[in-house]
Every structure is written in C-alpha cells, then in structure tokens.
Amino acid sequence: DGGITQSPKYLFRKEGQNVTLSCEQNLNHDAMYWYRQDPGQGLRLIYYSQIVNDFQKGDIAEGYSVSREKKESFPLTVTSAQKNPTAFYLCASSIARNSNQPQHFGDGTRLSIL
Amino acid sequence: EDKVVQSPLSLVVHEGDTVTLNCSYEVTNFRSLLWYKQEKKAPTFLFMLTSSGIEKKSGRLSSILDKKELFSILNITATQTGDSAIYLCAVLNAGNNRKLIWGLGTSLAVNP
C-alpha cells in the first residue's frame, strides 16, 4: 500500500543528544514536510522540501536539521540546540508544493526528554 | 498576519446528534481550505474546498465554503462514537510562501 512511514513511534532523548526521526514515502511525491504538534497549538512547520537536494526552513526551524538525498526520504534531526523538543512530530508529503493537492500524513513520532 | 480560527475548541455530544464545526480565516491570497480528521495519530484528509457555495459530501460528513464571509463549516449528521476525533482546518496561501495555515482544531467527543 502507498503511504508515509514514520519511525520510531516513540523516542526518548537525553540532554545534549541529537536524535533523528525517519520519514519514508512511496507515493512518488515531490514535496515533503515536517511539522511539530503541541497541545493547544496548531501544527507548526519546521522544514519543507520541494525536490531532492533542496529544503527550506519553515516557521520554527531553529534546533532542527533535515536532508533530502532521496525522493522517498526526508529525515529530521532534533539537535541539542532545541531546548524544548518534547512534542508530537508529523511528516507529510504532497504531489508538489505548487499544486493544489492535499498533504498526506504519517502516523507521527512522539519525542520525550529523559 | 494570516490566521485560521476554529470553533468551538471542544464539543461533547451524544450518538445520533448532528454537529457543525466552524472555521474562519484571514489569509492573504487564499487558494483552498482543507479539513482533516485526527484520531490518535495521523491527520487524515477529508475535504478540499476552493469555490464558494459548492457542498462536498462524504457519507455523513459534508462541508461548504463561503469566500465572501471567509468561513467554512463541517457538518456531521447522525454522529457515531467513531467520529470522536480532533477536526483540523487549514488554509493554503497561494503566495510565494505557499504554505498551510492551521487552526487549533475542534475536539469532538461522541458519547454512546
């Protein structure tokens, strides 16, 4: 089945540690996105990528990094510079960023601080 | 600043009730409005609306957009416990930025 796979489902981070969240899609979508969801707040865009080897900062990129070496994959690294990383992280993809097509989401990764 | 406001923030109803969820927006360069349903994990896409006055339907769910008054409603008739979820509204900005502006969501609980 086509879809977006995020792993792991749950992740714990120690102080000073970088962690990487995986996002893979087999929908042949060009555009991919990372969002952060906190209680009482809407989805906030961290980074997005329109094509391979290209990515742009979203609204809250500080303390995060991404790469887009393959069309199918858009991993997110939460660095030690992100002081409040506890949140639910959602990866999404769409056919193309400039198209008027909906984004489709993975099941998310819940990150907590140890 | 672009914003999307959903109301109510939470709602508790009994099975069989009809509910109406609201989404108002102030977004420069409107392109489309989207509704998603989020249970415990991934938001799942429900509807995309681009034109005023055209109702979209899927089973017991329906939605309509008013681009003059800048709002949309999502109706759910004959609610079931499986409709319990957070319903998210987002508006696509068609400018160079071209990003989705998200509301905070409406948390719906349907009691048996």
Side-chain angles (χ1 to χ4, degrees), chain B residues 10-72:
Chain B
S10 66
L11 191 54
V12 180
V13 300
H14 292 289
E15 267 191 317
D17 288 350
T18 293
V19 297
T20 298
L21 310 183
N22 303 292
C23 177
S24 63
Y25 62 91
E26 292 176 28
V27 175
T28 54
N29 226 343
F30 173 93
R31 180 85 186 267
S32 56
L33 184 145
L34 297 91
W35 284 98
Y36 286 83
K37 176 183 181 182
Q38 185 177 24
E39 294 172 89
K40 298 217 184 305
K41 305 182 230 179
T44 52
F45 171 71
L46 294 174
F47 299 114
M48 175 185 285
L49 303 146
T50 54
S51 302
S52 279
I54 298 174
E55 186 182 49
K56 296 256 179 135
K57 277 183 77 81
S58 176
R60 296 176 294 102
L61 277 65
S62 63
S63 183
I64 198 159
L65 173 68
D66 185 328
K67 288 169 75 172
K68 183 180 174 190
E69 300 297 330
L70 307 183
F71 76 92
S72 173

Side-chain angles (χ1 to χ4, degrees), chain A residues 17-71:
Chain A
Q17 187 182 42
N18 293 353
V19 291
T20 297
L21 284 59
S22 170
C23 178
E24 304 277 331
Q25 53 99 359
N26 60 5
L27 300 167
N28 201 31
H29 284 172
D30 283 320
M32 297 186 75
Y33 312 81
W34 274 106
Y35 290 95
R36 171 179 171 141
Q37 189 175 33
D38 295 277
Q41 300 202 42
L43 272 67
R44 292 185 289 167
L45 183 65
I46 304 172
Y47 268 98
Y48 65 92
S49 167
Q50 299 188 71
I51 55 171
V52 175
N53 292 323
D54 175 76
F55 49 83
Q56 306 292 333
K57 292 182 179 180
D59 298 320
I60 55 163
E62 186 173 346
Y64 300 97
S65 65
V66 293
S67 62
R68 186 88 186 274
E69 296 175 3
K70 297 186 298 182
K71 187 175 186 177

Side-chain angles (χ1 to χ4, degrees), chain A residues 1 5 27 49-50 82 97:
Chain A
D1 277 359
T5 302
L27 300 167
S49 167
Q50 299 188 71
Q82 172 48 245
R97 192 154 195 269

